[in-house]
Amino acid sequence: MRYIDVHCHLDGGHFGDLDALFERLAQAQVEKVICAGFDLSSSEFAKEVAEKYKTCYFTAGFHPTELKKFNKGDFEKIAELAKHDKCVAIGEIGLDYHYEDTDKVAQKEAFLTQLEMACSLNLPVVIHSRDCAEDMLNILKENTALLKNGFLLHCYSHSTEIASEIEKLGGHFSFGGTSTYSGSKKAKRTISALGTDRLLTETDSPYLPPKSKYGTFPNTPESIPEILLNMAQIRGVSAEEMSEKVWANAHMFFKKLN
């Protein structure tokens, strides 16, 4: 079988020797990973990792809770990074209303700016969406013209009903370690309800370990086989069938993967 992690973070020095990590990923049959940027420096780091390792690709973007780091000209630099051969999407971008000091106006402006950027560059977007379901759905519905290259809700956490509305707009969804827990009934219902062609696997490493690694840090893309097996069991198909479907979905969605 072959596996892909469409969303992980390899910065922060949590993993020790990245050479050793990528050797272990090869042994685990995790054949491709996408290292996600969340601000300018992490996007630049993701590019460097992708340049060093053949099986690594990256995304570039500004996460909604990282906007305090934003400097004038950063979006232009993100756009330049996005022209790299191995930059497969603008992301992660979106909305996050989890914290009390959230500047919703600034988040929406940054989100729309990056949706426009992705559209102009003919790239899909990877969306972070937490505690903002209504606003997120409204923005997606109001800006369908900017989503022509595809959009992915990473580590999806809203309701199955919202997922159905997003699916109608052409959205894709990735699920990680939290979907493997017995208490994750909402995620399991959503995985079951969505079209198979909309499903992708991720870890969001170093965070969100799967059930077998509960309480451990860092999580790594080595967790993908467990996440995919859980998805296959929810769907009532073999791991082999699910693996090939997710692989095909990823390459259909991220057109710069090769």
Side-chain angles (χ1 to χ4, degrees):
M1 286 192 289
R2 51 188 176 178
Y3 303 96
I4 183 168
D5 185 345
V6 303
H7 192 100
C8 62
H9 302 281
L10 300 179
D11 57 297
H14 303 300
F15 303 95
D17 182 4
L18 286 182
D19 286 351
L21 173 63
F22 276 90
E23 288 174 7
R24 296 199 308 273
L25 292 181
Q27 294 169 2
Q29 297 177 290
V30 181
E31 295 188 8
K32 292 183 183 180
V33 299
I34 298 174
C35 185
F38 54 86
D39 61 10
L40 180 58
S41 61
S42 63
S43 297
E44 290 172 337
F45 177 84
K47 175 183 77 77
E48 292 170 4
V49 176
E51 287 177 337
K52 184 173 181 181
Y53 299 100
K54 183 179 179 180
T55 58
C56 185
Y57 297 79
F58 78 102
T59 70
F62 239 98
H63 188 286
T65 66
E66 303 298 320
L67 291 172
K68 291 176 182 177
K69 302 177 186 176
F70 181 81
N71 294 305
K72 186 177 180 180
D74 281 357
F75 283 147
E76 288 77 9
K77 293 175 182 176
I78 293 287
E80 282 303 308
L81 286 172
K83 296 174 184 176
H84 192 284
D85 287 346
K86 297 189 82 177
C87 183
V88 296
I90 297 295
E92 62 184 291
I93 64 175
L95 303 176
D96 189 324
Y97 294 171
H98 185 69
Y99 301 103
E100 289 185 5
D101 63 346
T102 295
D103 186 339
K104 295 181 180 181
V105 173
Q107 286 195 10
K108 290 176 183 177
E109 289 177 351
F111 185 28
L112 284 169
T113 296
Q114 292 178 98
L115 288 179
E116 290 167 353
M117 178 196 303
C119 184
S120 69
L121 294 169
N122 293 315
L123 286 173
V125 292
V126 175
I127 296 174
H128 170 99
S129 183
R130 181 165 67 156
D131 298 342
C132 64
E134 185 177 351
D135 277 2
M136 177 58 69
L137 184 57
N138 287 337
I139 287 175
L140 295 176
K141 285 182 174 179
E142 292 165 5
N143 293 278
T144 54
L146 299 179
L147 305 173
K148 63 181 182 179
N149 300 296
F151 66 105
L152 166 66
L153 275 291
H154 105 85
C155 205
Y156 183 77
S157 62
H158 301 312
S159 70
T160 303
E161 292 73 22
I162 293 289
S164 177
E165 291 297 308
I166 292 172
E167 184 179 21
K168 291 174 185 174
L169 298 174
H172 286 69
F173 306 80
S174 56
F175 294 87
T178 54
S179 66
T180 66
Y181 290 89
S182 56
S184 297
K185 295 178 181 177
K186 184 165 60 175
K188 293 179 189 299
R189 284 197 303 270
T190 305
I191 290 169
S192 179
L194 290 168
T196 310
D197 61 342
R198 298 288 150 183
L199 297 173
L200 296 166
T201 51
E202 68 160 284
T203 61
D204 205 18
S205 300
Y207 314 107
L208 309 180
K211 186 177 180 180
S212 72
K213 299 174 183 176
Y214 176 74
T216 64
F217 186 90
N219 186 29
T220 79
E222 293 164 277
S223 297
I224 285 291
E226 180 178 351
I227 292 165
L228 184 130
L229 177 60
N230 175 71
M231 186 178 286
Q233 290 171 341
I234 292 170
R235 301 285 304 189
V237 301
S238 69
E240 290 80 4
E241 182 180 340
M242 196 77 236
S243 170
E244 286 306 304
K245 187 60 181 174
V246 167
W247 185 267
N249 291 346
H251 288 76
M252 184 72 68
F253 180 80
F254 296 106
K255 292 181 172 56
K256 287 169 72 175
L257 282 179
N258 54 42

